[in-house]
Amino acid sequence: MSEASKSKGRFMTTEDRLKSAAAYLSGVKRLSVLSGAGISKESGIPTFREAQTGLWANYDPETLATQQGFLNDPSLVWRWYDSRRQRLAEVAPNNGHRALVDLEEWVEELTVITQNVDGLHALAGSSRVIELHGNISKIKCFEASHPAQNVPLGLNEPPLCHCGSLLRPDVVWFGEALPEFELSRAMQISRESELMLVIGTSGLVHPAASLPYQAKQHGAIILEVNPNRTPITEIADLFLQSPSAEILPAIISNLKDLKVRT
Ligand code: BV8
């Protein structure tokens, strides 16, 4: 039975899956990661589609994270991002982020393509990170994208840019194009990858969600880490149904054992 069909089998134990993941990883040189909000869950950051809690329980992120949402109520949207920035000041990368830093020692090329705006991959020490959706700690002006230096936390209203326009988070909102350089680089890396590790994404937000399909079409092996099945599970050669902060360190230690033995 082929590896792919075996991996779909119900009978593979977690141990089998860890060994299989390590075997796939040990055979590749060019590796990419596509990460989503799930990899930051164990750092204490709720995922994007989890029901919002507290003050934000009645707001839909997909409405707030838009130009119209900001223009409708600049103060509300500013305060939503400010509360997320303040939460970021209290969290740290978790064992999942750190496992990807470890992994750089064991493969020739590893690029992390992330949909997350929390900056935790770079903070953990990943050396090549592509932020497809920007970074919540960066600010720019609404009208002309003039970059602004760090803005104090706790403001209730968006400050003004030197050009007079409202300042806003430097993230990609729904309905906005992704940054050209980052997107084309991510597409090139996906097409050239021998293996893509897809971690903690529901695979619903495009064009980021198309990257595993592009990788697969160009011959890449797809490993998915997620406690839940997603549309990407259908094209995964191996699905590791587990939280990333648990399973990624276990995969890396299996890979180390394998590399040391061979
Ligand atoms: C664009 C920044 C065009 C803001 C974000 C219909 C079909 C296809 C596309 C569309 C469509 N209708 C509209 C669109 C386009 C739209 C889109 O895809 N909408 C979706 C919702 C249907 N896309 C856009 O608008 C994009 N732009 O298309 O522009 C264009 C072109 C030219 C000119 C003008 C315009 C822009 C999309 C970017 C939006 N910005 N973030 C902010 O953060 O405030 S996206 C936002 O969602 C976050 O970045 C988040 O990362 C991202 C994706 O979500 P996930 O990361 O997957 O998070 P999610 O919560 O969904 O899932 C978490 C997963 O983790 C789950 O699977 C869960 O099981 C798992 N998990 C949970 N715990 C763990 C775990 N995994 C591992 N370990 C755990 N412990």
Side-chain angles (χ1 to χ4, degrees):
M1 192 185 275
S2 78
E3 188 62 43
S5 54
K6 254 176 53 184
S7 72
K8 302 280 185 205
R10 291 271 171 279
F11 60 81
M12 273 181 88
T13 64
T14 305
E15 215 35 56
D16 292 340
R17 288 176 191 274
L18 287 172
K19 286 191 169 31
S20 180
Y24 276 126
L25 287 169
S26 68
V28 294
K29 290 192 170 61
R30 286 191 313 281
L31 172 64
S32 58
V33 170
L34 175 68
S35 71
I39 199 169
S40 296
K41 177 85 179 287
E42 272 103 342
S43 290
I45 300 181
T47 64
F48 204 74
R49 264 158 209 81
E50 246 167 357
Q52 296 219 90
T53 53
L55 273 180
W56 309 105
N58 307 327
Y59 298 97
D60 171 10
E62 284 176 32
T63 312
L64 293 179
T66 61
Q67 289 186 6
Q68 200 49 56
F70 182 70
L71 293 175
N72 289 347
D73 193 337
S75 166
L76 176 75
V77 174
W78 180 268
R79 281 180 288 116
W80 179 50
Y81 281 93
D82 182 68
S83 69
R84 290 168 67 188
R85 261 196 296 277
Q86 296 209 39
R87 179 198 295 265
L88 255 191
E90 291 145 23
V91 304
N94 61 57
N95 289 338
H97 298 104
R98 282 191 284 271
L100 295 180
V101 180
D102 273 354
L103 185 54
E104 292 187 13
E105 308 301 317
W106 298 89
V107 290
E108 254 178 55
E109 268 176 50
L110 167 56
T111 304
V112 176
I113 302 166
T114 189
Q115 302 171 81
N116 299 340
V117 295
D118 56 33
L120 291 183
H121 283 297
L123 195 59
S126 284
S127 49
R128 269 205 290 216
V129 181
I130 298 175
E131 293 182 319
L132 286 179
H133 295 157
N135 187 310
I136 199 170
S137 305
K138 293 187 185 134
I139 312 284
K140 66 180 182 181
C141 85
F142 187 83
E143 298 300 337
S145 296
H146 294 136
Q149 298 318 315
N150 292 336
V151 176
L153 295 174
L155 299 180
N156 283 325
E157 302 287 336
L160 294 182
C161 174
H162 54 76
C163 74
S165 163
L166 290 174
L167 289 175
R168 54 162 283 184
D170 191 357
V171 297
V172 180
W173 278 335
F174 288 98
E176 293 187 318
L178 273 61
E180 228 168 284
F181 174 77
E182 283 75 2
L183 181 56
S184 55
R185 185 92 185 97
M187 287 179 166
Q188 182 195 358
I189 295 271
S190 302
R191 285 194 293 268
E192 291 169 359
S193 297
E194 296 169 81
L195 186 150
M196 178 181 272
L197 198 41
V198 182
I199 307 168
T201 180
S202 58
L204 298 174
V205 175
H206 289 266
S210 68
L211 295 175
Y213 300 90
Q214 291 190 39
K216 182 89 181 175
Q217 273 157 16
H218 287 77
I221 296 158
I222 304 295
L223 304 189
E224 184 184 28
V225 170
N226 195 315
N228 304 304
R229 299 178 71 84
T230 73
I232 294 163
T233 313
E234 296 318 306
I235 64 162
D237 294 281
L238 186 65
F239 175 49
L240 296 131
Q241 190 157 11
S242 165
S244 46
E246 253 172 63
I247 197 107
L248 288 176
I251 293 172
I252 307 309
S253 73
N254 272 265
L255 176 61
K256 287 178 186 173
D257 294 349
L258 190 59
K259 290 266 190 182
V260 162
R261 281 203 312 272
T262 49

